[in-house]
Amino acid sequence: MSIEAVNKYLSSSVKTPYFLIVGDGQYKGVKDKLLELGFTLVKVSDYCGGDDKLPDIDSLLERLKNADVKTSDNKLVVVGLGEYLALRGNNEAASILSQLKDLNVGSTKVVLLLRGVATQINDFQTDPRFDNRRFCMLDNANCDLSFTLAVPSVGLSTLPGIKALLIKLENGLCGNFVVNTTVNLDKALFNIHKIVNAYEGIKFTVHDFNLPSSCGSNMQWDELLKELTQNSDSLDAVFEKNGFKDNLDVDFYIRLTGPEYKSWLYFIALKSKSNILSNSYLRFVLDNTNCFEDFKTNVLNAIIEVRHDDNRFRTYYAERKRLVEKFPESDIANFVISNQINIDKSIYKLTNNTMVERKEIIAWVSQNGVIPEINEIYPALSDYLKEYVFNCGDLSNLLTEYFDEYKKQKVSNTLKADFIEKVEKLAQSREFNRLPTRNEIIDGINKDDTYLYWLDSLGVEYLAFIAELARNRNLSVTIKIARAELPTLTSFNHDFFDNWQNGKEKNDQLDKIKHSDTDGYNSDNNDLPTHLAKELVTITDAIDKAATELAQRHYKRFLIVSDHGASRLAVLRHKEEKYDTDTQGEHSGRCCKSFEPYDLPFAAEENGYLVLADYGRFKGSRAANVEVHGGASLEEVVIPVIELTLQDSKISVKIVEEFVTVDFRTGTEITLFFNPPAKNVSIVLNGKRYPAFVLDGLHYKVALPDIKRAGNYSADVYAGDDLIGEVQIKAQGKSGKKNDEFEDLF
């Protein structure tokens, strides 16, 4: 039909252009037919003065007007004009088409192959001269072109300007076209989408990209779009190139704090792939973070908003702890401050990753008490507070009870009246004199292939902690309890080190912690026992050194010895003696050179010194802020000699009896089976130690006179000071029943 109409136009005397309006689906076929009829193409794109310059329509009209001058231009078909005019808007389209409607082209036949301007052509039909001799509109002459316009500065990989776009349209291509242009097409008759920045370019390029623009800055989006262009518009390819393909929640801090763009891209990768992340806490943070600048802070602080009794909390806590383990103290310090918004519950959000948190935990516990969860929050503090059951003869129960109370008061930063009474009683009886001296114990130790490690100021309060450290590092530990020389000054307690002929080393870090006020441990600005956090680290480092030396077989034995202990409670007591002395008090007044006369029932006279065994202090010396030594309280004078060796990991223990019978008069007894044989076997039950007696090479009998009621009991089994395992004792009455009639006697 269209070709027939064109043939009629060719044979007519009409001297104006012929308007042939087609749709997208008809354009290419009609164009090809016209070329078969011998028409010469006149492309609007040829009249563009540059890649992004509008065509010179006046020159086009001049060409058509003067076409009959050239015999070769007797049949012309103009392409690209309709689309161009539709892009320019209704007013310009109507104006140019109106000029063409009345343009005298002489003897030349000009066909205008038009798309997109059907409405404007319909408007011309009000002119009776514009009839079917001059135009033909095909059925379904629908035009569904759309355009995405990107400013060149975005850098989108698209058509480079208006000219390239017109060429595509002149070839009959359909659909959406993306073009870099600065040309104003605000009045276009087509659907126009503008891309004015890299973020919109990325959304256009990556069709399922749904992150908000607030996730990045303009510069960051610019860089990502460049990478997309270089990687076939594949976001996954960009992530893989930068190492963000798999395991996105490992090496978290390193990735987060790398070069600025790369760390931001890591955030974008996490946001884009949050649904496949194994770390549910990280997913929780990402769901609530739409700005990279907030991301690190949110990772640290989002846990604050989750109640500790929330079903998600335990999982979130553990996952967050792994994420932030490499964060510096300064970042964690900001979290600690933010976490104080609800001080009563703040403890549950803290971890033992950093020193600033450990000190905060101790400060909280000091003021609020120990909670059951402390074992998970700060295991080292929990291990420190465990009761250590001493094994040193008839002083065992006294020392066990004393130091259990001492540690609790040190952590709670309190001093109880009944404990002061106990200290003052012991200050007069001086039970510690029944202990062997440190030198007596060292003299009995095999010094061959043994390394001596002097940990200055190490008292017995840390023995439960040390035993746990040794067990976790597969070390066998033997602990002997000794007493220091009085006064408990290093100057009177260093000969053991001087006389040692083998490998040796002194570490005075623990002593410095106890005496220093440079880390905020000062009663003027911080009277809480937060120095304990550093004490535990120092001791941990010492045990780690021992484990390393032994594992490398540098030595067979690693001996940790102390010159003296120290007292926190003597500092808290704030007790000065009732009169001045003639000599200056030393070590916060815990001792001074002897003078006469004196009336000091709590003082011992040794080595030319008066040494206070209670919690008093002589005048004339600056009061200590942290801890003190020099006196003769149990925590100052009772010291450990710790021998560490590699543990035989094959040793195991079992209880032989499935059930044991209890008697309300004599208690019961159990049989233990060791494989291989062990030495110095004992069990600890309800805070009391019971020795075992060898039956044969593998069996040991333990009498338990204090178990007089039926029930189930858990007991820790030791070989020396090594915790070998735990056994369950199932005790029943003589009749074989758990509730025997004799129990009515209790």
Side-chain angles (χ1 to χ4, degrees), residues 406-588:
Y406 173 82
K407 289 188 293 185
K408 290 175 181 177
Q409 291 173 92
K410 175 175 175 175
V411 171
S412 65
N413 215 42
T414 57
L415 189 53
K416 296 181 178 179
D418 59 346
F419 190 77
I420 293 175
E421 291 179 9
K422 179 181 294 186
V423 169
E424 293 178 348
K425 180 179 178 182
L426 290 170
Q428 296 186 71
S429 64
R430 295 168 202 156
E431 304 290 340
F432 57 78
N433 284 320
R434 296 157 58 189
L435 291 169
T437 66
R438 173 188 49 249
N439 289 357
E440 288 173 340
I441 291 178
I442 292 179
D443 287 345
I445 291 176
N446 184 352
K447 299 175 181 59
D448 294 337
D449 215 1
T450 301
Y451 188 79
L452 177 64
Y453 191 86
W454 175 6
L455 189 51
D456 198 334
S457 290
L458 180 72
V460 294
E461 64 180 275
Y462 308 102
L463 288 180
F465 177 59
I466 290 172
E468 190 66 20
L469 288 174
R471 186 179 69 84
N472 290 336
R473 288 153 181 76
N474 295 317
L475 297 178
S476 178
V477 57
T478 299
I479 299 172
K480 303 292 186 181
I481 306 302
R483 59 182 168 91
E485 297 292 338
L486 296 183
T488 51
L489 306 177
T490 300
S491 57
F492 289 89
N493 287 276
H494 62 80
D495 56 337
F496 73 94
F497 189 78
D498 297 340
N499 297 332
W500 190 267
Q501 300 301 312
N502 300 324
K504 60 184 178 180
E505 175 183 349
K506 179 184 178 183
N507 182 341
D508 59 1
Q509 186 59 39
L510 188 62
D511 188 68
K512 288 181 178 179
I513 293 169
K514 292 177 180 294
H515 296 316
S516 173
D517 59 4
T518 57
D519 284 331
Y521 312 132
N522 188 306
S523 58
D524 293 333
N525 54 35
N526 175 23
D527 60 355
L528 300 177
T530 54
H531 66 288
L532 176 59
K534 279 199 170 183
E535 291 183 336
L536 299 181
V537 170
T538 298
I539 294 169
T540 301
D541 291 343
I543 302 301
D544 283 338
K545 178 178 176 63
T548 301
E549 294 289 334
L550 293 170
Q552 292 179 325
R553 305 308 195 269
H554 291 164
Y555 302 93
K556 288 184 179 179
R557 285 170 293 278
F558 195 97
L559 200 62
I560 297 179
V561 184
S562 178
D563 49 351
H564 53 74
S567 177
R568 170 67 175 174
L569 302 190
V571 174
L572 298 182
R573 182 74 171 97
H574 299 296
K575 176 190 176 185
E576 282 193 337
E577 292 306 325
K578 59 187 177 181
Y579 53 84
D580 294 325
T581 65
D582 295 331
T583 61
Q584 185 176 14
E586 299 181 35
H587 285 266
S588 188

Side-chain angles (χ1 to χ4, degrees), residues 251 405 470 526:
D251 297 327
E405 293 181 66
N526 175 23

Side-chain angles (χ1 to χ4, degrees), residues 1-6 18-31 33-34 113-115 118 121-122 135-143:
M1 173 182 166
S2 59
I3 299 304
E4 292 175 2
V6 169
Y18 188 79
F19 292 70
L20 181 56
I21 301 93
V22 298
D24 293 334
Q26 303 152 339
Y27 183 95
K28 195 172 185 305
V30 171
K31 175 185 171 185
K33 289 292 185 181
L34 292 175
L113 185 59
L114 302 171
R115 279 192 296 176
I121 302 302
N122 282 329
F135 85 98
C136 174
M137 185 176 298
L138 300 187
D139 294 338
N140 299 319
N142 299 321
C143 182

